[in-house]
Amino acid sequence: MRLAASIVTFRTPPQELRQALATLSESCAERITVVDHSGNDDLAPTVAQYPRAEYIRHENRGYGSGHNVALRQSLADGFDIHLVINSDVEIAPADIDRMAGYMDVNTDIGALHPRMLNSDGSPQYTVRLIPTPLDLILRRFLPKWIARRRRQRYELRHIDHTRPFNAPYMQGSFMMMSCDALRRVGLFDERFFLYPEDIDMSRRLHRESTTLYYPYATAVHHHRAASYHNLRMLGIHVVNMIRYFNKWGWISDDERRRFNAPLLKNR
């Protein structure tokens, strides 16, 4: 079993990147690719401190485009598993190894996602239903008390998160993916600059393999939620979600209904 990993950076604090690289270097990851969209080489010396890491300066064409640079290398070089991970995610090296080992034995798994926590230790619900336009409008633009039950349904809070389950959407901050599955479904759709590329990838993997929430590994995601604090990022979010629903359907999306139904059956 051979594991590669990639991080896409954009003006990332060097200390944050160092922590991520140190963790990955202590895991079974053979190669760690940092694809830098910062427009300069300031992070290159940080990456050079880690023998298994390589630095690639890349034109910023979006999150998925950056990871695709590393994913193409992994597929060409015969890796079995590829981990897409954000620099602001903390996880023990042993948990990365445990997840990779689980995927190695269970070859029906297309992607694996750990239990995710916020910085304060509270649960971060990062495996979800495939969203409808209403789900995202409620989540992004309206106060949390409005349609609280629908929000909780979308975040699968009614599911027992102490047990594994097959989820059609896992957040892109941590996606451990089978290279065989990626050869079948393709890489990240580069039409999406940022945000819905993980929904799109998850549902393509879910279509033909298990996309498993795996609670026996835990990560902490220091989520910055840039579109909640920056009007430019909000604009990028909205434009790319329009592209997503133009691709998959706004009202009529039979596959969305079919994928979500098993998780809503026992509510």
Side-chain angles (χ1 to χ4, degrees), residues 158-172:
H158 60 281
I159 301 288
D160 181 359
H161 279 66
T162 67
R163 296 170 179 260
F165 59 88
N166 191 17
Y169 164 32
M170 54 182 62
Q171 191 190 72

Side-chain angles (χ1 to χ4, degrees), residues 108-124:
D108 61 312
I109 294 175
L112 206 60
H113 189 82
R115 183 172 74 111
M116 199 74 77
L117 304 177
N118 293 304
S119 302
D120 63 2
S122 62
Q124 190 174 114

Side-chain angles (χ1 to χ4, degrees), residues 78-91:
F79 279 84
D80 302 298
I81 302 169
H82 188 103
L83 170 60
V84 163
I85 185 170
N86 281 12
S87 58
D88 61 355
V89 170
E90 289 185 47
I91 186 169

Side-chain angles (χ1 to χ4, degrees), residues 41-256:
D41 294 326
D42 291 353
L43 291 173
T46 300
V47 179
Q49 298 171 25
Y50 299 89
R52 284 189 249 165
E54 63 174 2
Y55 175 87
I56 299 175
R57 181 175 172 178
H58 187 251
E59 179 186 354
N60 187 3
R61 296 198 295 269
Y63 182 83
S65 174
H67 279 296
N68 281 349
V69 172
L71 285 165
R72 289 187 188 98
Q73 289 182 333
S74 290
L75 298 188
D77 294 342
F79 279 84
D80 302 298
I81 302 169
H82 188 103
L83 170 60
V84 163
I85 185 170
N86 281 12
S87 58
D88 61 355
V89 170
E90 289 185 47
I91 186 169
D95 276 352
I96 294 175
D97 295 352
R98 183 177 300 112
M99 294 179 72
Y102 190 82
M103 284 191 71
D104 188 44
V105 172
N106 296 277
T107 55
D108 61 312
I109 294 175
L112 206 60
H113 189 82
R115 183 172 74 111
M116 199 74 77
L117 304 177
N118 293 304
S119 302
D120 63 2
S122 62
Q124 190 174 114
Y125 294 96
T126 50
V127 289
R128 302 166 183 164
L129 297 175
I130 300 292
T132 66
L134 179 59
D135 288 323
L136 296 186
I137 290 168
L138 288 171
R139 182 177 174 82
R140 180 59 189 83
F141 293 105
L142 297 178
K144 289 184 177 180
W145 59 267
I146 295 177
R148 184 185 301 273
R149 289 184 66 184
R150 186 180 179 105
R151 291 168 184 265
Q152 292 177 344
R153 184 189 76 159
Y154 167 57
E155 295 177 343
L156 298 174
R157 296 193 185 208
H158 60 281
I159 301 288
D160 181 359
H161 279 66
T162 67
R163 296 170 179 260
F165 59 88
N166 191 17
Y169 164 32
M170 54 182 62
Q171 191 190 72
S173 57
F174 190 111
M175 298 179 80
M176 184 174 281
M177 297 180 285
S178 157
C179 289
D180 281 344
L182 289 169
R183 290 186 182 95
R184 293 192 294 272
V185 307
L187 305 183
F188 285 109
D189 187 334
E190 297 187 14
R191 283 176 289 182
F192 307 125
F193 183 82
L194 191 63
Y195 295 114
E197 71 287 319
D198 53 0
I199 311 174
D200 178 85
M201 174 64 86
S202 293
R203 67 182 293 165
R204 286 188 284 125
L205 287 165
H206 188 75
R207 179 187 287 164
E208 60 85 53
S209 63
T210 302
T211 48
L212 193 70
Y213 166 74
Y214 183 79
Y216 310 123
T218 301
V220 177
H221 184 201
H222 303 288
H223 190 36
R224 285 187 280 269
S227 71
Y228 285 78
H229 310 292
N230 182 300
L231 284 177
R232 177 175 172 273
M233 297 304 291
L234 173 60
I236 290 171
H237 197 161
V238 170
V239 166
N240 283 274
M241 290 313 307
I242 289 170
R243 289 174 180 160
Y244 169 83
F245 287 115
N246 284 343
K247 176 178 178 178
W248 290 103
W250 289 78
I251 305 303
S252 177
D253 183 347
D254 291 339
E255 187 176 73
R256 175 176 67 206

